[in-house]
Amino acid sequence: MVEIAESSESGSGLLNSTLVKIGCLAEEDNCHRQVSSFGSSGSRNTSPLGRICSRNTSPSRQKVVKTKPRGLDEETVTTFVKAVQPDVQMEDNIWPMLPEDLLNEILARVPPFMIFRLRSVCKRWNSILQDHSFLKFHSQVPSHGPCLLTFWKNSQTPQCSVFSLPLKQWFRIPFTFLPQWAFWLVGSSGGLVCFSGLDGLTFKTLVCNPLTQTWRTLPSMHYNQQRQLIMVVDRKDRSFKIIATSDIYGDKSLPTEVYESKIDKWSLHQTMPAVNLCSSKMAFCDSRLYLETLSPLGLMMYRLDTGQWEHIPAKFPRSLLDGYLVAGTHKRLFLVGRIGLYSTLQNMRIWELDHKKVVWVEISRMPPRYFRALLRLSAERFECFGQDNLICFTSWNQGKGLLYDVDKKVWSWIAGCALQSYNSQVCFYEPRFDASIY
């Protein structure tokens, strides 16, 4: 049985206890199980649901309205009192008779990480993730929202924690379902997570859905060497693609390869011009893969529809120490990096590519207090990645995470940041039960 450990108290105890009650009555043979609700049983319920009918409607709340009707010369005192609705006692035998579609409608709106706890309620809910009707309802409801997925290995055992930005909580997801390879995190898209690594001496790529605990290995590439990969999911088409960028292996250049899940095979495409030394900094935006090159410092673009590489003549800012490409929404492409040669003069800046003028335009700077707290030394290593106009900064030495909302122009620390070790790998993650690995 798969369970998720919640690392902070939740204010959703009332919601979950109600759902647990529904499930227990639906499956009478499992009602003897004692199911605890989320959060501590003795904790104070501060959720909005817990405050229903708690408004003070005492008669002492009076509003004095001074009026002077014709012929009267006195104060008229008006008391506004709301009628208190008595609690409705619902009969227990109603819950087992909930229609199947209504139950799926309710469960589809439960935060995805809590579904794992609810699966232990009864046999009916235990098989909910394999129910096509539930997956259909789940695919139609709005997304839970962006999350941060951290992956690391503890004594060669894969470990994974997910931070929900909407709930502001950390959840532990078991990753023991994956094979015991020496693999590393590639990235995430549309609810799927991609890994690549070595099975002995063979380079392999796998795709998994952490929520459904399903995974599969992709076929080998034509040039099966360690490569820079990026995954893109098309939810409407229910398919995904993985792009292996051009690289240099030994004395030869490797061509670009693209995997398509619908045909389950890799196809060869154009080799990037050999004059460019590739970087690992890349981002996928508007059906185009943007790749930062180091020699010379510049920007290359790969068109997924044509399979061709193009050079983007956008000059990078002077004195740029670290440059990260971040994809935003609506064709927006950001460049994030440190500026300055000396630690006392360094600062973090964010630029956006003006596609018409082909120039980088500065749009924001990290406030000095955040910069000093994130990077205390000029040589400290940091990582940067983004999704949906959210940019995340992580510092391994400090074990901190900082989030910047491009639209709202708001900086905020990630509460209880669980960067477990220096070899932790982090990416944005959108939890989806309906994300298929095929």
Side-chain angles (χ1 to χ4, degrees):
M1 179 65 61
V2 179
E3 291 187 357
I4 289 187
E6 190 177 359
S7 59
S8 63
E9 285 194 358
S10 168
S12 57
L14 181 59
L15 170 63
N16 285 281
S17 61
T18 303
L19 289 169
V20 167
K21 182 178 180 182
I22 299 174
C24 284
L25 292 168
E27 190 77 23
E28 294 184 357
D29 61 336
N30 287 327
C31 283
H32 66 277
R33 299 183 185 179
Q34 183 175 354
V35 182
S36 60
S37 60
F38 277 90
S40 174
S41 60
S43 62
R44 180 184 177 186
N45 184 2
T46 59
S47 69
L49 291 175
R51 294 195 296 266
I52 294 176
C53 295
S54 63
R55 182 185 297 270
N56 181 10
T57 57
S58 169
S60 62
R61 297 187 62 203
Q62 298 180 343
K63 183 176 180 181
V64 177
V65 181
K66 292 185 177 182
T67 61
K68 258 189 178 181
R70 184 174 301 174
L72 295 177
D73 191 12
E74 60 183 13
E75 288 186 350
T76 302
V77 179
T78 306
T79 303
F80 296 95
V81 180
K82 288 188 176 181
V84 179
Q85 298 294 336
D87 292 337
V88 178
Q89 298 296 330
M90 299 191 68
E91 298 181 10
D92 290 345
N93 57 4
I94 292 179
W95 299 110
M97 296 187 296
L98 280 179
E100 189 76 20
D101 56 346
L102 180 57
L103 180 61
N104 288 331
E105 188 82 31
I106 296 173
L107 292 178
R109 283 165 169 76
V110 175
F113 306 109
M114 298 179 182
I115 291 289
F116 282 88
R117 282 285 184 90
L118 299 179
R119 290 177 62 190
S120 62
V121 172
C122 61
K123 295 179 180 179
R124 181 186 179 191
W125 287 16
N126 184 38
S127 60
I128 192 71
L129 298 184
Q130 286 76 39
D131 192 325
H132 294 288
S133 59
F134 167 76
L135 296 179
K136 180 181 178 181
F137 276 102
H138 181 74
S139 64
Q140 295 171 354
V141 301
S143 170
H144 170 74
C147 301
L148 292 178
L149 184 145
T150 64
F151 175 81
W152 74 100
K153 283 194 173 183
N154 186 9
S155 300
Q156 300 303 314
T157 302
Q159 306 285 337
C160 178
S161 292
V162 175
F163 180 75
S164 169
L165 294 178
L167 299 178
K168 292 181 170 48
Q169 289 180 257
W170 283 98
F171 297 91
R172 180 68 62 86
I173 298 182
F175 255 62
T176 54
F177 66 94
L178 292 181
Q180 295 297 316
W181 299 347
F183 53 79
W184 52 91
L185 178 65
V186 171
S188 173
S189 177
L192 298 180
V193 181
C194 181
F195 293 91
S196 64
L198 296 174
D199 180 14
L201 299 177
T202 306
F203 180 77
K204 290 188 175 182
T205 306
L206 67 86
V207 174
C208 72
N209 185 332
L211 291 184
T212 59
Q213 306 276 283
T214 55
W215 67 279
R216 74 181 180 99
T217 307
L218 304 187
S220 299
M221 292 181 284
H222 294 82
Y223 296 87
N224 202 40
Q225 305 295 338
Q226 181 176 337
R227 310 278 287 275
Q228 295 294 335
L229 306 175
I230 191 167
M231 180 175 63
V232 183
V233 171
D234 187 343
R235 286 195 57 208
K236 293 182 179 180
D237 198 30
R238 296 187 60 83
S239 64
F240 65 90
K241 295 181 180 180
I242 296 180
I243 307 172
T245 59
S246 299
D247 208 341
I248 298 176
Y249 181 75
D251 57 350
K252 62 180 180 180
S253 297
L254 302 181
T256 305
E257 297 193 38
V258 178
Y259 171 82
E260 298 184 45
S261 62
K262 282 201 165 185
I263 59 177
D264 192 29
K265 63 183 298 186
W266 293 87
S267 57
L268 292 174
H269 294 265
Q270 182 190 26
T271 301
M272 194 171 67
V275 295
N276 294 284
L277 178 60
C278 301
S279 165
S280 61
K281 315 295 177 55
M282 56 185 178
F284 189 84
C285 175
D286 188 33
S287 301
R288 294 172 175 85
L289 174 65
Y290 293 89
L291 177 66
E292 182 182 334
T293 59
L294 302 177
S295 178
L297 182 62
L299 189 65
M300 294 293 294
M301 179 185 70
Y302 174 77
R303 292 182 176 272
L304 190 58
D305 52 351
T306 63
Q308 300 294 316
W309 286 94
E310 298 179 17
H311 177 256
I312 306 297
K315 293 184 178 180
F316 277 56
R318 297 183 60 183
S319 304
L320 180 65
L321 299 181
D322 317 90
Y324 285 88
L325 296 175
V326 176
T329 58
H330 306 299
K331 306 180 181 181
R332 302 181 73 178
L333 181 67
F334 304 109
L335 173 65
V336 182
R338 284 186 289 190
I339 289 288
L341 299 178
Y342 304 99
S343 59
T344 56
L345 301 176
Q346 284 185 3
N347 58 75
M348 192 81 70
R349 304 186 188 184
I350 302 175
W351 297 266
E352 182 176 354
L353 180 63
D354 187 326
H355 293 276
K356 292 183 178 180
K357 298 180 180 179
V358 198
V359 294
W360 292 104
V361 180
E362 184 177 331
I363 61 172
S364 183
R365 295 189 184 188
M366 183 182 293
R369 67 180 184 276
Y370 289 112
F371 182 77
R372 289 191 297 268
L374 185 72
L375 300 173
R376 296 184 179 179
L377 301 175
S378 59
E380 279 193 44
R381 172 174 170 253
F382 78 98
E383 296 287 338
C384 179
F385 49 92
Q387 176 180 303
D388 297 336
N389 292 350
L390 293 175
I391 301 177
C392 183
F393 302 81
T394 57
S395 171
W396 307 121
N397 292 345
Q398 304 301 327
K400 293 182 177 180
L402 181 63
L403 196 67
Y404 178 64
D405 191 317
V406 177
D407 297 327
K408 299 179 180 178
K409 301 186 183 302
V410 174
W411 298 86
S412 58
W413 293 108
I414 300 174
C417 193
L419 302 180
Q420 304 294 334
S421 63
Y422 71 93
N423 62 348
S424 296
Q425 303 160 61
V426 190
C427 70
F428 271 106
Y429 168 62
E430 179 188 2
R432 305 275 333 169
F433 282 107
D434 58 321
S436 174
I437 60 175
Y438 294 97

